[in-house]
Amino acid sequence: ALQSHSVRVYPNPATNEIYLADININRLKPVEISIYDLSGHQITHQFLTQNRIKTKLLPSGLFLLKIRQGNRLYYTKFLIRK
């Protein structure tokens, strides 16, 4: 069963990139992320090999970040301010 957890991102608000706190990312524990706008449209979906997510191409606004690692799900919101 999937377990839901919260995760911190910083800086928040951000401009060009955000970092994930409290998640151990390595080749043995790949991390899948999806970023959604507030209307529920998926903006990006990718696999991470480090705790940094590039946000340079995102417009200003509030976004939902969904992170999946194995059977764990993490959710958080972050703000982009250009």
Side-chain angles (χ1 to χ4, degrees):
L2 291 175
Q3 300 172 356
S4 183
H5 303 274
S6 61
V7 64
R8 292 181 301 120
V9 296
Y10 62 93
N12 194 3
T15 304
N16 293 323
E17 57 195 15
I18 58 173
Y19 294 86
L20 304 177
D22 313 317
I23 296 183
N24 181 19
I25 300 174
N26 60 51
R27 289 183 299 113
L28 301 177
K29 290 186 175 183
V31 171
E32 179 182 3
I33 66 147
S34 298
I35 296 175
Y36 300 88
D37 63 19
L38 290 187
S39 62
H41 294 105
Q42 186 174 355
I43 305 296
T44 186
H45 174 263
Q46 59 188 318
F47 288 89
L48 297 184
T49 56
Q50 57 186 350
N51 72 337
R52 181 181 62 162
I53 301 170
K54 295 178 182 176
T55 59
K56 186 175 185 176
L57 298 179
L58 294 177
S60 293
L62 190 61
F63 296 89
L64 175 67
L65 174 63
K66 180 177 116 178
I67 304 160
R68 182 172 182 165
Q69 185 177 38
N71 65 345
R72 291 181 160 227
L73 277 177
Y74 302 87
Y75 293 96
T76 192
K77 293 178 184 167
F78 65 94
L79 181 65
I80 298 295
R81 188 177 293 153
K82 301 288 178 157

